[in-house]
Amino acid sequence: MRTLDAAAVAHLRRIALEFDAGSATRKSAALAQLARRAIDDPIALVAYHDCLLCLLAYPETRALRDAARAELARVAGAARGISVGGRARSRAKLANSGIAWTPLTISFGWDIARWLARRFPRRADIDSFGDDGPALAGILAAALPAMEFELASSEDDPAALLEQASAGYRGTRLAWLVGAFERLPCDDALRAQLFDALQAYITIEPGGSMLSRTFVRGLPAPTFHHRDGLAREVDLRALLAEPLPRPRLLSERARQHVIDAGRAMLAALGRETDAIALAYPGGAAWHDVGRGIAVALYSMEPERRGPLDSHIGMMLFKNGIPVGYGGGWPFAGTCRIGINVFSPFRGGESALLFGQVLRVYAQRFAVGRFIAEPSQFGGTNKDGLQSGAFWFYYRLGFRPIDGHAARLAAAEWTRMQAEPGYRTPISALRSFTRSDIELRLRDVLECEPADLSGAATKWIAEHHGGDRTAALAAARRIVARKLGCVDAERWPTSERRAFGELALLVVRFEDLDQWRAADKRALVRWMRAKGGDEFRFHALLARHRRLREALRSLAARDS
């Protein structure tokens, strides 16, 4: 049996996204040839694995989809064989690839560590600790019985101390450590800081589970077969105007699966984002938007989200395969947005994928203006500059906010249209990264959360001499009286906390006493929603023009 090599895989990858009269036949023939080859080269294995994922995301026929599925299972079996009995060099080349049956070791944060210990108790464990983290004994002292003062004062290195402290425990050392941290007399935010400081490296052994790029999948849905090719061009304005289908009704189990899939995919890549790490079932949403594309949204637990433009995470799925991730920070009609299409799927329907993400955010959060930061189209990333990522955004209608950069980009774009084959110099592309770029869909009342934060700080300094405790208490009391909140003590704790934080802004509304009763009641619902349903928080703000104008006026006064 011939051995699978990189050149044979490269041929299949070149034709994977071709769609013409004979493309299905060519792909089937190439795939059949590769299916007859032994898989023992780790580099070819990874390339083949990723090519198969691309074929599954963009299948032309049912037969091709089924053949790709079968081959992906064979690749997973080959990876298992190498991981169990292969040469050390081959095992090392598969490590951290995110492929089934291959180990991955990285320093995850507290929330992902706890999730791994709870959801996959036998598939993750502590590998080691960083050299410059704090002493583990000092942290554990607050979680151990007082009688274990000798252990709590140990000067052993963290790994040896953990081995001693967890002696007799039937689970993993990670599970024991997570349990100890949960006994610490503090909130989750502080636990996260303490755990992060430890620099705990965690090894995941995914086996054949969803903790791998190989087998993680979104929610089930009918396969979209690309019999008519790819939709490479998109009329973004027309797409954004199409009414968004209602989100899929999800059971509690389905919501948890959406969260698990997002976390598992990022973990397999050695990444994590706050929005997905801190997601909770009540804050997960799933939008099927056509052509096998689905957009999952993740809002954060009420206790950990930001007071205004909290991060709403996103995972993109194509025919069930995770193909990209990112997120947005919506507030008052403006949304900072970011997206990353995973490398196996670039060259497909990237513009449509991004357009569907914009469509979901625009309609779920009443966004009229999107902003992309330089990190999204180059920044200090040389690959982003060389690929001309800036023009991907420009073709969709994004323009530099800075006037000088906007004029340079317009001149460069005109030259590109007039001179086929002309490429913008890297120096010019780098000049565009000195400015954010924006896509304006309509006029919005621009209101920067940073300016509102500064307004709160100014009020605390001027009226309470910097005493935050006194300022919070006063703001809550004054605003509750003006808004007629007589039942606040019966609200959930997270809603009371959110009301108090937002009261630092509302207390500065100069005409609050003149607001209509209906506007005041809507304001109370908005303030409480920040501690409950994040989607409702944004929807209420979109419907409350007087509130938006008050926030804009406050931001302008103190900016």
Side-chain angles (χ1 to χ4, degrees):
M1 178 180 285
R2 293 180 62 188
T3 298
L4 184 76
D5 57 30
V9 176
H11 169 66
L12 179 60
R13 185 64 183 87
R14 280 194 299 272
I15 66 175
L17 294 177
E18 290 181 359
F19 295 88
D20 55 42
S23 57
T25 301
R26 293 196 301 274
K27 293 174 198 176
S28 295
L31 196 54
Q33 287 184 351
L34 296 183
R36 292 192 291 268
R37 296 194 178 195
I39 306 174
D40 54 22
D41 175 69
I43 295 177
L45 186 153
V46 174
Y48 192 33
H49 173 276
D50 289 1
C51 182
L52 291 168
L53 287 179
C54 181
L55 287 171
L56 287 172
Y58 294 99
E60 190 167 356
T61 65
R62 179 177 297 181
L64 271 170
R65 181 201 64 185
D66 293 345
R69 282 179 178 172
E71 276 299 275
L72 190 63
R74 189 170 75 96
V75 168
R80 184 179 189 179
I82 293 174
S83 295
V84 171
R87 294 178 299 175
R89 179 177 297 181
S90 295
R91 295 198 306 272
K93 289 180 179 178
L94 285 185
N96 296 327
S97 67
I99 293 175
W101 302 101
T102 68
L104 178 144
T105 301
I106 196 167
S107 180
F108 289 111
W110 159 248
D111 298 284
I112 295 299
R114 178 174 55 182
W115 169 72
L116 287 168
R118 288 177 176 176
R119 300 288 292 169
F120 304 92
R122 298 293 177 182
R123 297 204 175 277
D125 204 353
I126 294 292
D127 176 79
S128 59
F129 295 89
D131 294 333
D132 54 352
L136 178 60
I139 297 175
L140 290 182
L144 298 174
M147 190 56 69
E148 291 192 277
F149 57 83
E150 183 67 15
L151 182 62
S153 62
S154 170
E155 295 184 1
D156 288 347
D157 66 81
L161 173 59
L162 180 59
E163 192 70 33
Q164 183 181 2
S166 62
Y169 184 71
R170 295 187 178 182
T172 63
R173 290 171 299 168
L174 173 63
W176 184 92
L177 185 61
V178 165
F181 263 70
E182 288 179 324
R183 293 194 298 274
L184 292 175
C186 62
D187 62 18
D188 244 15
L190 183 53
R191 286 190 188 94
Q193 291 187 27
L194 293 172
F195 191 88
D196 290 351
L198 282 176
Q199 301 171 24
Y201 286 85
I202 297 172
T203 293
I204 296 176
E205 297 281 356
S209 76
M210 71 183 306
L211 285 173
S212 67
R213 297 191 297 117
T214 312
F215 295 127
V216 61
R217 296 293 184 271
L219 296 178
T223 300
F224 179 85
H225 296 101
H226 288 260
R227 296 183 176 91
D228 296 322
L230 300 179
R232 295 187 185 276
E233 301 295 328
V234 58
D235 182 340
L236 186 59
R237 299 280 175 168
L239 177 64
L240 296 180
E242 291 182 19
L244 186 68
R246 294 180 64 84
R248 190 189 297 194
L249 290 176
L250 303 178
S251 65
E252 188 74 9
R253 182 176 181 181
R255 290 178 182 275
Q256 186 60 57
H257 180 84
V258 172
I259 293 173
D260 289 345
R263 291 174 179 169
M265 182 60 192
L266 292 184
L269 293 167
R271 306 177 193 177
E272 59 182 307
T273 68
D274 286 344
I276 296 179
L278 297 174
Y280 70 110
W286 181 275
H287 286 272
D288 294 297
V289 293
R291 295 182 67 84
I293 301 170
V295 179
L297 297 179
Y298 304 84
S299 67
M300 294 164 29
E301 298 171 351
E303 295 78 9
R304 306 283 293 279
R305 65 180 58 146
L308 294 173
D309 62 336
S310 54
H311 187 187
I312 305 292
M314 177 275 300
M315 183 70 69
L316 262 171
F317 296 85
K318 187 79 167 69
N319 283 319
I321 308 291
V323 297
Y325 81 108
W329 288 259
F331 184 70
T334 294
C335 179
R336 293 188 175 272
I337 195 78
I339 183 174
N340 184 329
V341 174
F342 302 133
S343 57
F345 313 102
R346 292 170 190 166
E349 296 181 334
S350 296
L352 178 61
L353 292 171
F354 187 37
Q356 292 289 15
V357 169
L358 295 177
R359 179 186 175 205
V360 170
Y361 277 85
Q363 297 190 35
R364 284 305 305 262
F365 305 108
V367 176
R369 176 183 180 234
F370 285 101
I371 296 176
E373 297 178 348
S375 60
Q376 292 297 307
F377 51 90
T380 57
N381 182 347
K382 189 175 181 180
D383 290 339
L385 291 172
Q386 290 178 334
S387 68
F390 173 81
W391 297 119
F392 171 81
Y393 286 87
Y394 200 89
R395 290 185 180 91
L396 290 172
F398 282 81
R399 296 293 183 266
I401 294 176
D402 176 76
H404 179 64
R407 290 188 292 274
L408 289 177
E412 194 68 15
W413 178 253
T414 299
R415 183 174 179 181
M416 289 171 62
Q417 305 310 301
E419 301 178 25
Y422 169 76
R423 288 184 60 85
T424 304
I426 292 294
S427 58
L429 290 170
R430 186 173 287 113
S431 70
F432 301 152
T433 64
R434 297 174 188 146
S435 168
D436 292 344
I437 57 177
E438 66 175 357
L439 173 68
R440 283 188 173 271
L441 307 176
R442 56 178 169 80
D443 290 335
V444 298
L445 293 172
E446 295 181 22
C447 180
E448 285 293 333
D451 294 333
L452 292 172
S453 176
T457 300
K458 184 176 180 179
W459 186 80
I460 293 170
E462 292 180 349
H463 293 267
H464 296 277
D467 187 334
R468 267 69 185 175
T469 301
L472 276 167
R476 279 195 298 265
R477 184 177 62 255
I478 294 168
V479 173
R481 175 177 53 80
K482 290 188 175 186
L483 297 180
C485 301
V486 296
D487 61 343
E489 293 306 315
R490 295 199 293 270
W491 298 349
T493 301
S494 60
E495 293 185 11
R496 293 201 305 271
R497 183 186 301 113
F499 182 91
E501 290 288 346
L502 289 169
L504 288 171
L505 298 181
V506 177
V507 74
R508 296 207 56 192
F509 291 178
E510 294 177 336
D511 63 344
L512 186 59
D513 291 327
Q514 283 74 53
W515 283 28
R516 296 181 307 151
D519 286 338
K520 289 183 178 181
R521 289 193 297 270
L523 174 58
V524 173
R525 290 194 295 272
W526 175 72
M527 296 171 74
R528 293 180 62 181
K530 173 50 76 168
D533 187 336
E534 181 81 351
F535 296 102
R536 187 165 181 262
F537 171 81
H538 292 284
L540 289 170
L541 179 58
R543 295 197 296 265
H544 203 318
R545 184 170 183 83
R546 186 156 194 179
L547 171 57
R548 296 198 309 275
E549 290 174 345
L551 290 169
R552 175 67 184 90
S553 176
L554 177 58
R557 275 202 323 266
D558 291 290
S559 61

